[in-house]
Amino acid sequence: MIDIDYVTFDCARPYELAAFWRDATGFEISPETGADDDEVLLLGKVNLLFIRVPEGKAVKNRVHLDVSGSEGSTRDQEVERLLALGATVQADRRAPDGSGWVTMLDPEGNEFCVCRSEAERE
C-alpha cells in the first residue's frame, strides 16, 4: 500500500497558480513558501504541489481534479465563482435534467471538472 503525498502541477508560474487554487479551494499556501520559489505547496485535504518547469502544457491532462461546491454552494454557483477567479470553460456538459458537469481550465490550462455538490445529487 502507498500514501499519496501530493497532486503535482507542472507550471510556468507556481506561486500564481497556487494562489488561484488557494482561492478556489480555501487551502493554505505553506508558510515556508515564497512568491519566487520554484516549488509552492498548498496545504489542504489533499496537498497540491506546483513546480516550475520550462516547457508549456502541450496536450490534454491524463489526470485531472473533479471538484464540487461545499458549504451549500451549487455546481453552477461554483462555475461562476471560478470564472471570476480566472478559470475558463472548456466544455459544458450540463444536461437539461440538472445532471452533468463543466470542464474548466485553470489559468495555466490544466483541466478540471466542476460536478454537482452532494446535496444536488441527493
Side-chain angles (χ1 to χ4, degrees):
M1 207 153 65
I2 62 171
D3 290 330
I4 296 175
D5 297 321
Y6 313 106
V7 175
T8 301
F9 291 73
D10 290 350
C11 55
R13 297 179 323 276
Y15 194 86
E16 290 85 352
L17 192 57
F20 166 82
W21 283 103
R22 175 201 59 210
D23 295 345
T25 63
F27 294 177
E28 176 185 332
I29 292 178
S30 170
E32 298 174 12
T33 299
D36 295 326
D37 288 356
D38 289 335
E39 295 184 6
V40 177
L41 180 60
L42 197 60
L43 303 168
K45 291 180 183 178
V46 175
N47 294 323
L48 304 177
L49 180 62
F50 302 86
I51 298 178
R52 185 181 323 274
V53 297
E55 64 276 3
K57 184 175 177 302
V59 297
K60 181 181 183 293
N61 295 5
R62 297 287 307 264
V63 175
H64 66 269
L65 302 179
D66 283 351
V67 301
S68 59
S70 61
E71 302 176 15
S73 65
T74 67
R75 175 198 56 212
D76 297 344
Q77 290 169 328
E78 286 302 318
V79 167
E80 293 305 314
R81 187 177 73 82
L82 292 162
L83 285 169
L85 292 175
T88 57
V89 172
Q90 181 187 45
D92 192 333
R93 308 276 188 222
R94 291 178 277 198
D97 68 358
S99 63
W101 65 94
V102 177
T103 302
M104 300 188 80
L105 303 174
D106 73 15
E108 289 208 17
N110 298 297
E111 297 93 357
F112 65 99
C113 293
V114 183
C115 304
R116 293 185 301 164
S117 67
E118 185 175 333
E120 288 177 287
R121 292 188 302 266
E122 291 176 350

